[in-house]
DNA sequence: ATATAACTAGACTAACCAGTCTGGTTAGGC
DNA sequence: GCCTAACCAGACTGGTTAGTCTAGTTATAT
């Protein structure tokens, strides 16, 4: 019961396995709880006791795993950035698909990306970074090198290949990638009121379509129309 | 001396006037100091004693003016938002200028806006909002209704008039305004590493030019070229 | 001259919390 | 069956800080 999210049957099923994997499971539970509590209350206001309770773990266990509160923040943020990276790459990777028309593909990718960025954990990560960037400047490096930069570079790669294939015209693919993200996220930030409001999927689709409209007007090939 | 930013000669010159205006001057000094300290340390970590010291004022004076720490935050944020609004409107208002060519005018407005958004206090305001939006959801309303919404609406108005005059083609001026801001700020966010790095004016100019390029490709009039 | 109102420095309280420690429990490896 | 290592609940220390209070100062208005 005091273990929080564990159900009794889950505890029974895992009765043996949990002992072997117990340590790593606890570590993950602590990271999840830490991210949740840090995101909810902010670093300074978040109590390590609260994190421990939310993870279903004793406070001393938290310290034995992570040493101190600062390090816990860094590890929780890093884990969350890795998660975000995976989600985003899955969205951008669909841009490899050929055969369908480019506009529809871009709109699909845009929609997936918007869904990633509208996720509560994604907003929490960005807020946490903004909030603690003065006290922990290295969080910026953690997040950018682990996630943000890779995603932008991956999209730039895709745009470059589409340009080489004659489907697009992006002389500076990195800039084009930045502008694609900007056209998606700028209007979304305003509409969601910085993530405090949830948008229905239809509205996300409209945002993606508007972004792709503008993007294609700027970066569609100039001479030859695509088939 | 203990009054901080006061110079001796200033104190002499204002010897009479300061008594009459002393109360309002102190109020302003407290608001400035509060914003600075909140931005530097975050709400929870900011000590009211530190704010008082930075304002050159006793702690009790802070409480007599603002009641409690939460209210002090709100008032400091509101004052800062008003300041930001004035700066931004001054930039957007130049879009009324006729006679020069539209591209150059837009690039000039873009540059001014980037300078506004790159200002330390502007970044501090956005960070503070992100950081405390969970604990103080009303900060969002304060900032949006006082500043952000008005700026976007004002730009949308300008774009609409330019469209009516045949210099642009923006069927949805509000969306176009959002996208203009997005094209400016998205790439800038990345390049400044969320405001932790300062960009030279030449780079801001390049960012503005890139944004305006894309913007005009999407929203230049389709049939008749402007003179 | 005196009443009033804003201000000052600094002491004080009550609460909160990071990090440590203690003493005891559990469970797997051998 | 015992050893070890991870874990538990909860107490404890030391430092920080919001908000209050006191006693004394300054300056204006009348």
């Amino acid at each position: 019961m005091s273990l929080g999210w564990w159900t009794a049957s889950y505890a029974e099923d895992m009765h043996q396995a949990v002992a072997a994997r117990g340590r790593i499971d606890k570590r993950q539970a602590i990271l999840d709880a830490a991210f949740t509590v840090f995101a909810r209350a902010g670093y300074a206001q978040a109590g390590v006791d609260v994190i421990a309770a939310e993870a279903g773990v004793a406070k001393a266990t938290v310290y034995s795993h992570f040493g101190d509160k600062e390090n816990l923040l860094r590890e929780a943020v890093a884990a969350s950035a890795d998660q975000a990276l995976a989600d985003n790459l899955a969205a951008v990777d669909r841009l490899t698909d050929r055969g369908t028309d480019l506009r529809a593909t871009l709109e699909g990718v845009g929609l997936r990306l918007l869904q990633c960025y509208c996720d509560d954990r994604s907003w929490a990560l960005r807020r946490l970074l903004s909030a603690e960037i003065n006290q922990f400047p290295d969080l910026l490096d953690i997040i950018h090198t682990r996630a943000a930069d890779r995603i932008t570079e991956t999209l730039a790669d895709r745009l470059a290949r589409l340009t080489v294939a004659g489907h697009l015209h992006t002389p500076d693919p990195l800039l084009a990638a930045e502008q694609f993200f900007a056209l998606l996220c700028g209007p979304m930030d305003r509409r969601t009121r910085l993530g405090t409001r949830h948008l229905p999927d239809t509205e996300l689709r409209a945002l993606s379509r508007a972004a792709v409209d503008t993007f294609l007007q700027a970066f569609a090939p100039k001479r030859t129309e695509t088939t």
Side-chain angles (χ1 to χ4, degrees), chain A:
Chain A
M1 286 305 171
S2 67
L3 292 174
W5 49 268
W6 274 22
T7 64
S9 64
Y10 176 77
E12 272 174 35
D13 292 349
M14 301 298 274
H15 202 250
Q16 271 79 40
V18 87
R21 303 183 43 85
R23 192 169 164 75
I24 194 158
D25 283 356
K26 295 221 153 113
R27 187 185 163 87
Q28 193 55 51
I30 293 168
L31 285 174
D32 287 347
F35 184 78
T36 304
V37 176
F38 282 141
R40 184 200 306 143
Y43 176 77
Q45 300 279 55
V48 178
D49 352 28
V50 176
I51 293 171
E54 189 125 341
V57 138
K59 191 162 71 150
T61 306
V62 175
Y63 280 98
S64 101
H65 275 273
F66 296 101
D68 64 5
K69 197 185 173 186
E70 291 195 9
N71 188 51
L72 178 57
L73 174 68
R74 273 182 257 269
E75 300 243 33
V77 163
S80 186
D82 289 342
Q83 177 69 46
L85 172 67
D87 294 349
N88 277 276
L89 283 186
V92 173
D93 272 346
R94 311 192 114 240
L95 203 48
T96 315
D97 296 346
R98 298 293 171 81
T100 33
D101 79 304
L102 183 57
R103 168 170 251 109
T105 308
L106 277 173
E107 282 180 11
V109 171
L111 175 62
R112 306 257 173 172
L113 283 172
L114 282 177
Q115 285 165 339
C116 288
Y117 284 113
C118 285
D119 184 76
D120 283 340
R121 294 179 67 89
S122 177
W123 272 109
L125 183 60
R126 275 172 285 165
R127 285 207 201 106
L128 211 40
L129 174 61
S130 274
E132 310 302 340
I133 201 168
N134 284 318
Q135 337 292 323
F136 305 102
D138 53 313
L139 289 185
L140 186 78
D141 298 288
I142 293 174
I143 293 178
H144 270 222
T145 64
R146 279 185 186 238
D149 285 348
R150 292 194 200 179
I151 297 162
T152 312
E153 294 289 348
T154 302
L155 178 60
D157 287 349
R158 296 277 184 268
L159 296 180
R161 295 190 58 169
L162 287 165
T163 294
V164 168
H167 301 302
L168 273 181
H169 175 68
T170 59
D172 182 345
L174 186 58
L175 176 67
E178 285 178 352
Q179 292 191 338
F180 185 72
F181 282 120
L183 288 169
L184 279 173
C185 294
M188 182 272 282
D189 284 0
R190 235 181 84 85
R191 302 288 223 278
T192 62
R193 300 175 65 81
L194 281 180
T196 57
R197 239 185 49 178
H198 275 274
L199 297 183
D201 245 40
T202 59
E203 201 162 341
L204 292 185
R205 221 177 291 270
L207 283 174
S208 176
R209 191 173 317 127
V212 170
D213 272 349
T214 298
F215 183 81
L216 282 181
Q217 300 232 42
F219 297 111
K222 293 296 129 65
R223 312 281 172 186
T224 59
E225 286 296 321
T226 57
T227 51

